[in-house]
């Protein structure tokens, strides 16, 4: 695909995301010769920086680029740094657009970026709409000359209602086809590989339904706590921070029907359909039975004291925000009727891991049922991270007399493709947006369908009767009560076990 000459304008350019993800991703694209011939980055923010100071901050003195630029020639690094510019927007993001648009026009003229502008909003969400409005008022959303695109970071709303407001607000100034909602999980190779595993092989898809699948489990665990983001996290919680977006994106790829082709809308249409078929839990009883929330409590790991969630900086000491969320649900459609899905996400787990586990049913007629292998032992594990790969667990005969069965593994790891360069999520997503490919970006209706499912849970967790907040020590797999969710199965698959 062609990457046209263009300018990337980053709002919130003095923030963490720009230094930690965006600039390093652009630098990787520079090294990989993927940037267009004429390319300019204009950082815009509230800090008072000159172009030189901005370059220093995000390139020359950036801890995130240090190891990448160390051994490179000065001139080569300068070639990249010289593409970066900065514009001080003053004390908020609502003024100074005249100056900004003049700067954009000037940079455009001198650098040949052909009026193609991509605006990346890496600011608090409350500024998304005002920025979009100001851009439109300054004539910067019009596609009469060159294209204009808007990338927005999560969170896309705080609830269904606010997500709808946000979508409407943005769509007043930009067309839906100009809006790119970034979900960095969609930039992960292994998440994309879910599509390939399912739809380019004939050995999985025939089994991918209620006739053969017993249940689906998705685990997303992080060993870190809320780090320095207590203030943000306390208003969010695991369900909003991870489940509504990243995990439901994974769910949609597992659940969706085969798309008619690989055009962005072919795939996104099917994902929306998938999300719309999740059974929304409406009554307190099902919400009580099918959801679990918990917080990590003060604990010790190998002699190291770990703060409880409520003691973290920025967190309310009486907080009822969850750091662990587990949800059991069903998908009401032909393919998935009665197949339970178990999805959990949490901070302060024993390890960092994300995986999808397809548990197959036991054979209808078991000849070797006394063989020693437990039922439901056929599994397909899609390891999203780390040790990215695909693992198949199945039974083989133990050599010797009789029919003793043991579990064997057929494993594929991405690391075995030694020669392959795996792009980082942001790198891939930025390049896609630069090329106008929205396949891996969330569409408005997709985001709203996800909120529709999550809203009643949030509401119940806030106001419901009988709802409990469990505690768990750092470094364990969440509260024991979470096993009650997996009722007839007894336990979750904890990676490594
Ligand atoms: C972010 C969340 O979207 O994803 C963070 O806000 C979380 O709380 C992060 O730590 C996890 O991303 P990854 O790619 O490390 O799994």
């Amino acid at each position: 695909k062609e990457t046209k000459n263009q300018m990337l304008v980053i709002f919130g350019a003095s923030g963490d995301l720009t230094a930690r993800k965006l600039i390093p991703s652009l630098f990787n694209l520079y090294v990989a010769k993927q940037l267009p011939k004429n390319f300019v980055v204009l950082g815009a923010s509230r800090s008072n920086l000159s172009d030189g100071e901005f370059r220093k901050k995000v390139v020359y003195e950036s801890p995130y680029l240090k190891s990448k630029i160390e051994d490179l020639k000065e001139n080569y690094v300068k070639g990249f740094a010289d593409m970066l510019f900065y514009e001080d927007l003053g004390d908020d993001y609502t003024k100074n657009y005249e100056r900004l648009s003049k700067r954009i026009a000037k940079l455009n003229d001198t650098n040949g970026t052909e009026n193609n502008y991509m605006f990346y909003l890496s600011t608090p969400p409350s500024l998304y709409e005002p920025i979009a409005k100001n851009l439109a008022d300054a004539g910067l959303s019009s596609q009469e000359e060159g294209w204009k695109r808007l990338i927005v970071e999560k969170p896309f709303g705080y609830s269904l209602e606010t997500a709808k407001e946000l979508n409407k607000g943005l769509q007043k100034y930009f067309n839906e086809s100009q809006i790119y909602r970034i979900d960095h999980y969609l930039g992960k190779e292994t998440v994309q590989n879910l599509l390939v595993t399912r739809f380019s092989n004939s050995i999985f898809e025939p089994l991918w339904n209620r006739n053969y699948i017993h249940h689906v489990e998705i685990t997303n665990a992080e060993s870190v706590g809320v780090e320095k983001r207590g203030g943000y996290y306390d208003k969010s919680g695991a369900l909003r921070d991870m489940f509504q977006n990243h995990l439901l994106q994974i769910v949609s790829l597992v659940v969706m029907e085969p798309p008619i082709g690989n055009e962005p809308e072919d795939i996104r249409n099917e994902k929306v359909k998938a999300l719309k078929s999740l059974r929304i839990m409406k009554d307190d009883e099902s919400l009580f039975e099918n959801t679990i929330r918990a917080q990590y409590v003060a604990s010790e790991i190998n002699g190291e004291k770990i703060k409880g969630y409520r003691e973290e900086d920025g967190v309310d000491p009486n907080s009822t925000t969850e750091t662990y969320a587990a949800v059991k649900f069903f998908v009401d459609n032909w393919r998935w009727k009665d197949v339970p899905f178990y999805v959990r996400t949490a901070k302060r787990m024993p390890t960092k891991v994300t995986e999808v586990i397809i548990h197959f049913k036991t054979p209808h007629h078991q000849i070797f049922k006394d063989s020693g292998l437990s039922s439901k032992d056929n599994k397909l594990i899609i390891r999203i991270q780390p040790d990215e790969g695909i693992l198949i667990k199945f039974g083989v005969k133990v050599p010797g007399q009789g029919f003793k069965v043991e579990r064997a593994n057929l494993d594929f790891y991405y690391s075995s493709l030694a020669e392959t360069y795996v792009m980082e999520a942001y790198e891939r997503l930025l390049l896609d947006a630069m090329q106008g490919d929205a396949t891996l970006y969330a569409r408005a209706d997709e985001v709203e369908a996800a909120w529709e499912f999550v809203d009643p849970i949030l509401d119940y967790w806030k106001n419901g009767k009988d709802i409990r907040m469990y505690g768990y020590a750092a470094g364990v797999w969440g509260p024991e009560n979470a096993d009650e969710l997996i009722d007839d199965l007894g336990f979750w698959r904890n990676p490594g076990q």
Side-chain angles (χ1 to χ4, degrees), residues 306-331:
I306 311 276
K307 273 189 190 171
Y309 173 65
R310 292 182 185 181
E311 291 132 34
E312 299 271 18
D313 287 347
V315 172
D316 176 353
N318 298 314
S319 172
T320 53
T321 300
E322 75 288 351
T323 60
Y324 176 105
V327 182
K328 171 184 176 183
F329 60 88
F330 290 92
V331 179

Side-chain angles (χ1 to χ4, degrees), residues 154 184-185 188 222 229 241-242 246 347 352 385:
K154 66 158 234 204
H184 81 279
Y185 266 57
K188 293 184 193 273
E222 289 184 276
R229 299 157 72 225
D241 185 49
M242 293 296 300
H246 308 322
K347 302 261 185 209
K352 179 174 173 77
Q385 61 186 21

Side-chain angles (χ1 to χ4, degrees), residues 103-170:
R103 183 84 196 272
I104 290 175
K106 194 160 165 225
L107 285 171
N108 180 59
D109 288 346
T110 44
N111 294 282
T113 49
E114 300 178 27
N115 297 298
N116 294 325
Y117 305 147
M118 186 147 80
F119 302 104
Y120 196 119
L121 308 193
S122 171
T123 64
S126 56
L127 294 170
Y128 293 170
E129 192 182 332
I131 293 176
K133 177 179 186 314
N134 284 310
L135 288 172
D137 288 351
L140 289 166
S141 66
S142 151
Q143 304 204 87
E144 253 163 58
E145 279 181 288
W147 50 252
K148 310 289 177 293
R149 297 179 190 138
L150 189 71
I151 304 190
V152 283
E153 266 291 331
K154 66 158 234 204
F156 314 122
Y158 189 74
S159 60
L160 177 59
E161 195 189 331
T162 51
K164 279 185 175 164
E165 273 167 23
L166 177 60
N167 283 333
K168 254 199 222 135
L170 295 179

Side-chain angles (χ1 to χ4, degrees), residues 252-268:
S252 73
L253 295 171
V254 172
V255 164
M256 71 190 262
E257 293 300 315
I260 54 170
N262 67 2
E263 288 300 314
E265 300 320 318
D266 298 341
I267 293 175
R268 301 204 294 180

Side-chain angles (χ1 to χ4, degrees), residues 339-443:
V339 178
F341 280 68
Y342 301 89
V343 180
R344 64 179 172 165
T345 175
K347 302 261 185 209
R348 285 276 182 233
M349 296 276 102
T351 183
K352 179 174 173 77
V353 65
T354 303
E355 55 179 39
V356 176
I357 308 132
I358 309 293
H359 295 260
F360 291 94
K361 289 184 172 172
T362 42
H364 297 310
H365 178 60
Q366 279 186 273
I367 324 176
F368 304 117
K369 58 174 174 278
D370 301 324
S371 60
L373 198 67
S374 71
S375 60
K376 298 161 203 141
D377 236 12
N378 283 174
K379 295 186 186 81
L380 170 68
I381 300 173
I382 298 165
R383 176 73 55 75
I384 309 275
Q385 61 186 21
D387 304 331
E388 290 80 356
I390 294 186
L391 295 72
I392 296 176
K393 312 263 181 207
F394 63 108
V396 291
K397 182 180 172 300
V398 179
Q401 245 186 336
F403 285 99
K404 200 167 165 350
V405 181
E406 217 172 57
R407 192 159 74 184
N409 301 326
L410 260 181
D411 298 346
F412 157 74
Y413 289 98
Y414 270 82
S415 53
S416 63
L417 306 175
E419 301 295 304
T420 320
Y421 170 64
V422 180
M423 277 191 179
E424 278 175 37
Y426 271 94
E427 204 177 324
R428 168 70 203 268
L429 292 172
L430 273 173
L431 187 59
D432 278 5
M434 287 163 76
Q435 295 176 343
D437 182 348
T439 313
L440 300 175
Y441 284 84
R443 214 167 61 185

